[in-house]
Amino acid sequence: MKSVIAATRFSVLDRSRTREGHDGPEALRATVRLAQELEALGYHRFWVSEHHGVPGVAGSAPTVLASAVAAATRTIRVGTGGVMLPNHRSLVVAEQFGVLESLFPGRIDMGLGRSVGFTDGVRKALGRDKHDAEDFAGQLAELLGWFRGTSATGVRARPAEGLTVPPYVLAVGEGATIAAEAGLPLAIGDIRGREKMLRGIETYRGSFRPSPWLAEPYVMIAGTVAVAGSEEEARRLLIPEAWSMAYSRTHGTFPPLPPAERVESLTMTDKERGFYESGLRGHVYGTREQVADQLERVIKESGAQEVLVTTSTYDRTGLLDSFRHLAEVAELRPA
């Protein structure tokens, strides 16, 4: 009989984080290479994200990047984590995923989120405002309608109509109810906010309505997982992202990831230090044995069918080693 961990799918969301001394194009190429490496390790799916005007993130066009990833791989599922529906017209999103599914049949996922631009300037550039996220349920229904040919406009979304591209709702709170009422799979974060995440999952399962897309609830939990030869090595992988988060909370924008040693040499204000220390807490990290224990606990608590790993760090070698260690913990096998 499989262990709880071995019976769980493991996937990766890569945000194409830029690093100090390295540019955005390099980050995007690194994302494609990482997908190839994770496919060889047996990970189930690989998702890319949507961010606009962020110095520390190169991934601004997720369907374009997903196409590059799918073209460079053969078996791993590829998708978005996610396309932010309030930023786009639903017809265009349907057409883009219709093209992806037509080019790479049976391998494309449509992860969808409700966030709008990170700053007022970005929202203005996109022609959106904060209130555009309030009708996410309606935007979602409109998008799915294009695949089923039910739009009241009389327009047909080609080549999307008639295709089945699995939709996933990305959520941290309210989205859990929206996913449940639409009868869609739920991708929920963050593992480090355990109680809030578990409440969202409970709400989702309690409100779930079967749909043509999904007969029973499906839960994917998301968060940072770092595995290394020692607990201290694994913790060092968390340092660049923790500092980036602290910087964004105090300066208003995410910077490129710095190396851990530079962060450790910084003189921080009390406010920065507080955010930084908070950013290091709650993640799943340590040796293979420690991570196995932590993962088994969170999988049992959540009843999740899948874990979506969202780890970012400056040390690309350390990151890949972490994914290799995690593949061993999860007993992954290449397709």
Side-chain angles (χ1 to χ4, degrees), residues 300-323:
K300 284 181 176 178
E301 287 176 352
S302 64
Q305 289 99 327
E306 188 166 349
V307 175
L308 181 67
V309 182
T310 62
T311 312
S312 297
T313 191
Y314 179 90
D315 180 1
R316 299 293 301 187
T317 300
L319 180 64
L320 183 56
D321 285 344
S322 175
F323 283 128

Side-chain angles (χ1 to χ4, degrees), residues 185-205:
L186 175 70
I188 188 166
D190 184 347
I191 285 174
R192 62 196 298 261
R194 196 70 51 86
E195 291 185 7
K196 182 178 180 181
M197 183 187 76
L198 294 177
R199 286 196 302 270
I201 293 171
E202 183 179 8
T203 296
Y204 168 71
R205 290 204 175 101

